[in-house]
Structure formats: structure tokens, C-alpha cells
Amino acid sequence: MRPTIGVLALQGDVREHFHALAACDAEPVNVRRESELDAVDALVLPGGESTAISTLLEVFGLLEPLRQRLREGMPAFGSCAGMILLASEVLDTRPDAQSLSGIDMTVRRNAFGRQVDSFETDLDFAGLDDGPVRAVFIRAPWVERVGAGAEVLARVPSGPAEGRIVAVRQGGVLATSFHPEVTGDLRVHRMFVDSVREREAVRPA
């Protein structure tokens, strides 16, 4: 089956996720309205500016509907800003920023520094074969705490941020500090799409 996976199309690198999902044999659709959210099997929250996306979720009337879908078990994948939005607690953000609490974790916004501190590295990523994942970090967050129900999938292997958590999964919700949509390596997207496909296969009609 081809799961219908929405890409939250309010701000950020929407197109790159759209193409990656299509290459993984999903049916990607842009989501800007509650009716479009209601029609998808899962949702991707792209990188961008987390506080801007947070504000736009309220403006477009999507904040509470999205929280409700996540509470009901909708799978989701957030990269960079998407990880920040999916956290239950965010450090170094604006007081009015909203979070979705899709994963029980504490995330520090812009933890790796400013745009000039962007970097790439290779990560061992739990559950993925065929070698390390090339990870691109752009004004990225890191995870400072994970709850008992969350699974750490990747950590920074070396350097000043050695050991910092940069990929987490809880149930059907996946989050990465980095941008797998920009490298051409589809393994993280394929992991997510496969998990959505498996969930849909066993879900009662």
C-alpha cells in the first residue's frame, strides 16, 4: 500500500521532504488546513524556524487538531525544527512558543550554535543497515533528556558535542536534529514510511 503522508507546508524545507517521501513509495500531500490533516495517515514536520511554524500552526487553526491526532497515535516525523515542535519541553525558546508533546523529551533549541556553526558528520543510526548516515546540522537542536518510553537512535560520535542525542523515536513518532531530506540518503524516510505502512496494515478498517 502507498500510505498518504502529509508534509506540514507552513514554512521550511517542505519540497525536499515531499520528494523524499515520493521516492519511498508514499503518497505525499501538503497540509495547511485541518481538513487536509484529517485525510493523512501520518505527518512530516520539516526543518525551518520552529517559533515561526509554532505561530503559523495557531494562525491556521492546526495546533489543537495536530495535538489531538498525535494523542490518537498518528505517526509523525520531525527534522530539526520539527524535532523541536514534537518535544514535550523546549529550552532556549520564546515564552509563547507552542509544543506538540509527541515525544517525551527535552530539546535545546539552536544547541549547536548559529548558522555559521552548521556542520556535517557520519552517525551510527539504530535500525539502519548499510553503514552510517551522513547528517547535516543547520542551527540544530539536541536532546538533553528522554523519557522512559523514548528510544535513542543516534548520538554525535565525536567533537565538542560528543554523545549528544540527535535522533529519538517514541512509538510511531520519530525526530532527528539533522536534515536527512537534503542528502539524497532515503534510509531515514524509508524507515518512517515503512513504519506507517506496517501500522496501516494492522489497523482495523
Side-chain angles (χ1 to χ4, degrees), residues 112-151:
F112 287 98
R114 304 177 64 176
Q115 193 85 13
V116 295
D117 300 308
S118 300
F119 70 102
E120 299 182 25
T121 191
D122 290 328
L123 301 176
D124 291 327
F125 197 107
L128 295 183
D129 299 323
D130 302 323
V133 170
R134 189 66 176 173
V136 177
F137 294 88
I138 305 170
R139 293 180 62 202
W142 65 43
V143 179
E144 298 208 345
R145 178 198 63 85
V146 294
E151 175 188 7

Side-chain angles (χ1 to χ4, degrees), residues 6-129:
V7 181
L8 186 65
L10 301 180
Q11 193 263 352
D13 51 349
V14 174
R15 180 175 59 182
E16 293 85 351
H17 278 292
F18 198 97
H19 292 325
L21 291 168
C24 293
D25 201 30
E27 187 68 44
V29 296
N30 288 330
V31 170
R32 297 187 185 91
R33 300 176 178 85
E34 184 176 355
S35 60
E36 294 166 339
L37 176 64
D38 291 342
V40 301
D41 301 316
L43 185 71
V44 170
L45 293 87
E49 213 294 314
S50 60
T51 55
I53 298 173
S54 166
T55 298
L56 290 169
L57 282 170
E58 293 187 273
V59 170
F60 281 78
L62 282 170
L63 183 62
E64 287 306 325
L66 180 47
R67 283 175 173 158
Q68 183 59 33
R69 286 293 313 271
L70 290 169
R71 284 193 292 266
E72 293 169 353
M74 179 186 70
F77 168 37
S79 64
C80 198
M83 167 182 265
I84 296 168
L85 289 162
L86 286 170
S88 55
E89 181 184 18
V90 181
L91 306 177
D92 293 340
T93 193
R94 288 186 352 201
D96 60 340
Q98 301 288 341
S99 62
L100 298 167
S101 297
I103 296 177
D104 181 10
M105 63 180 175
T106 300
V107 169
R108 186 172 297 277
R109 184 172 172 264
N110 294 342
F112 287 98
R114 304 177 64 176
Q115 193 85 13
V116 295
D117 300 308
S118 300
F119 70 102
E120 299 182 25
T121 191
D122 290 328
L123 301 176
D124 291 327
F125 197 107
L128 295 183
D129 299 323

Side-chain angles (χ1 to χ4, degrees), residues 152-186:
V152 174
L153 299 179
R155 297 176 182 266
V156 177
S158 60
E162 181 178 354
R164 291 294 186 179
I165 300 167
V166 291
V168 177
R169 177 172 57 194
Q170 184 171 326
V173 182
L174 171 68
T176 62
S177 299
F178 57 93
H179 292 265
E181 71 278 8
V182 304
T183 64
D185 184 341
L186 296 173

